[in-house]
Every structure is written in C-alpha cells, then in structure tokens.
Amino acid sequence: MRIIKRIAELRQAVRGMKRRGRSIGFVPTMGALHEGHLSLIRKARRETDWVIVSLFINPIQFNRRSDFRSYPRVLAQDARKAAGAGADALFAPSAVEIYPPDFQTSVEVERLSRRWEGRSRPGHFRGVATVVAKLFHLVQPDIAYFGQKDAQQARIVRQMIRDLNFDIRLRILPTIRELGGLAMSSRNQLLSSSARRPSRLLFEALQEARRLIQWGERRGSVVVRRMRQIIHKSSKARIDYAAIVNPKTLEPVEKLQGKVQVLLAVWIGPVRLIDNIQCYVPS
Ligand code: PAF
C-alpha cells in the first residue's frame, strides 16, 4: 500500500486512475482505525478498483483543544490495518498541507448542522463539511464510504453532495459493535476499565427504545424518558442529548410514524460517546 503525504502526489495518482478508467473508492478517517473503518475499506475493496483511505486528524472540527490533543495517533498501526483490509493508498497529509496559513474558505450545511452534535460542539460540522469537501475534490471518488454511527455527519455529507453537485455515490454502512453492544469508535480507546460497563448503557437504552416502539409505544417523549432512566442507572453517565428524530430533517418527532432515528450522546466520565439506531414504525 502506498502512503501519500503531499497533495501534488495525490493528484498525480488520481489522474493516473482516471486516465485508466479505474473507479475510485474513498474512506475518509481520522485514524485510530477499528473494525468499523475496516468494514468500510473492505466494502470499498469489493466495489471499486482503487481504494484510498485518508487519515487526517482535522483540527478545525474539534471545538476543544484537549479533545484534539488526546485524539489517538497511531499512523504505523493504521497503515498496517488499512493495507490488511485492502486499501491501495493511504493519504496522510500534514495540517499545513490541508490548511496553508492563508486558508479562509469554509463549507457549512446550515440547517442540518444546528442541532444535536452541532449544538454541543459549535463549529464541528463546518470543520467536517470543509475538510470532506476538500478531500472529495482531491480524491474525486466514485463512491465514498461513511459509517452510520455518525448519523448526523452522514446526513450532512449527503446534503452537501447534493447541494454542491458532487458526482459521488455515498454508501452509509451499519455501525459495528463490540461484544456487549458498545458502538466501535476511536474514542473507545480513551475509556478507563471502570467506564466500560456504563458505556454499554447507550446500547441498552437504544435497544429498550426499539422494544418499546415494537410493543406499540408511539409517543416520542415516553420512549426518550425511558432511555434517560436507563442511562441514569450509572452515576458515571451524564446525558448530553437523547432524542427521536426524523432521519431526513433531524427534527424531533413526538408522534412516531414511518422511519425514525433514535439519537444518544452521553458523557462517561471525560469521554463523550454517541450512538443511534433507525426504527421503522408502522402506522
Ligand atoms: O468521521 C470522521 O472520522 C471525520 O469526521 C471525517 C469524516 C474523516 C472528517 O474529518
């Protein structure tokens, strides 16, 4: 697997692939690769000719410096994992390569960025949309792969693709979970051993939401209240938000009907975890 650090080299490789009529599959990441990322790379391997993974810890999407500083950095290990899953190239640029000193343009998907993660992490989605737009321009993928775990991010990227007329197909793949249900995330590495048990409460709360809906509960507020009770079983857990939303608008819904998305963000000590599920509610 080839490691590319400079934009000029990336452009040359992309031009070569396009000239030879090869399809490009793209998996953007911030590294600390886990099974969730690897499932995206494997899917890209099956569906496209040239698979490129980006590894860039995007400074402008972190609203807390401590979060940026503590983000796991394991390039050599990530390179081995990406190659093992079938990547052909790893694009790992420096921060100045992506944001030279006079950089001043940003992309914002306005309405969808306001709530949930956007409210708790001001500027986060502007940072995500800006870097993803830049990476899309550089990599020119036929198909881009994202995980369902970051549901709001996936929805925002879909909207940006449409709004800015990127000629890219988006694949959103299911969340991969650890034994016990915790959604795989690079941040799980930051959980202490005593935080592991309460971290499973997110999955428990989401499963309970699904059960209640399956049993016929149609009031969003009742389901959310029950989820909150489950999370509060641990004194280590602090809810940031728990909500049931329309997956398209991300607006909360009270009368549950059709496709809904159940969202959860919870602090377990110093680590913030997010998770979600989709449910279909027959009318
Ligand atoms: O999901 C992530 O890892 C990041 O938000 C992304 C999409 C790579 C942009 O930095």
Side-chain angles (χ1 to χ4, degrees):
M1 185 190 67
R2 178 170 170 191
I3 298 188
I4 301 175
K5 298 221 158 179
R6 307 305 295 258
I7 286 176
E9 196 191 337
L10 173 66
R11 283 195 193 283
Q12 207 177 26
V14 168
R15 264 198 300 269
M17 291 302 148
K18 296 273 172 197
R19 231 187 350 256
R20 283 146 61 195
R22 302 278 157 85
S23 61
I24 300 179
F26 177 44
V27 182
T29 82
M30 297 204 301
L33 301 187
H34 50 69
E35 266 309 309
H37 297 114
L38 302 184
S39 72
L40 305 182
I41 299 172
R42 289 188 196 111
K43 183 78 167 171
R45 174 74 288 152
R46 288 196 294 275
E47 294 187 339
T48 58
D49 299 324
W50 192 61
V51 176
I52 176 159
V53 175
S54 66
L55 193 171
F56 179 62
I57 305 178
N58 177 30
I60 68 166
Q61 73 183 72
F62 289 83
N63 59 317
R64 290 180 309 122
R65 275 202 81 70
S66 57
D67 192 20
F68 176 64
R69 274 200 300 265
S70 65
Y71 204 86
R73 288 165 169 79
V74 281
L75 175 63
Q77 185 184 307
D78 284 340
R80 274 196 303 276
K81 287 186 181 174
D88 296 300
L90 182 71
F91 178 50
S94 67
V96 289
E97 188 73 2
I98 296 295
Y99 302 118
D102 60 344
F103 184 84
Q104 46 188 303
T105 301
S106 60
V107 176
E108 186 147 16
V109 180
E110 291 188 4
R111 274 198 302 285
L112 290 172
S113 299
R114 277 188 204 135
R115 280 185 188 269
W116 320 122
E117 290 304 285
R119 173 161 300 169
S120 300
R121 305 171 67 190
H124 169 65
F125 285 125
R126 189 184 321 118
V128 170
T130 302
V131 82
V132 172
K134 278 174 73 84
L135 291 167
F136 280 176
H137 281 302
L138 294 169
V139 174
Q140 296 175 44
D142 296 277
I143 311 181
Y145 298 82
F146 286 76
Q148 175 61 34
K149 202 214 84 185
D150 296 298
Q152 189 174 8
Q153 167 173 283
R155 177 67 192 93
I156 285 171
V157 170
R158 188 175 292 291
Q159 189 69 35
M160 181 185 77
I161 286 179
R162 178 184 302 173
D163 290 351
L164 299 185
N165 304 100
F166 281 105
D167 190 10
I168 296 172
R169 260 157 65 202
L170 188 62
R171 280 247 194 288
I172 311 294
L173 298 190
T175 302
I176 305 290
R177 298 182 179 281
E178 294 182 3
L179 233 65
L182 176 63
M184 294 233 179
S185 161
S186 306
R187 285 194 171 80
N188 293 359
Q189 294 184 22
L190 305 172
L191 288 168
S192 64
S193 51
S194 64
R196 288 258 150 200
R197 188 191 284 268
S199 69
R200 294 192 198 117
L201 289 173
L202 278 85
F203 186 60
E204 196 181 318
L206 291 172
Q207 290 301 95
E208 176 70 1
R210 191 190 293 288
R211 248 191 314 271
L212 285 178
I213 293 171
Q214 276 167 355
W215 288 343
E217 182 54 68
R218 296 291 177 264
R219 292 163 299 175
S221 52
V222 171
V223 179
V224 167
R225 199 173 321 130
R226 181 69 194 120
M227 285 166 63
R228 288 182 164 272
Q229 281 168 357
I230 289 174
I231 300 292
H232 285 146
K233 286 200 294 195
S234 167
S235 59
K236 281 204 168 76
R238 188 164 57 78
I239 298 173
D240 183 350
Y241 59 78
I244 306 189
V245 304
N246 174 320
K248 207 156 171 221
T249 62
L250 302 183
E251 293 297 323
V253 282
E254 172 58 12
K255 187 170 180 295
L256 305 181
Q257 201 173 13
K259 252 195 208 156
V260 296
Q261 200 151 41
V262 188
L263 305 178
L264 206 45
V266 178
W267 287 94
I268 307 287
V271 184
R272 189 170 175 281
L273 300 174
I274 61 172
D275 202 347
N276 71 89
I277 53 167
Q278 294 239 23
C279 297
Y280 182 73
V281 189
S283 36

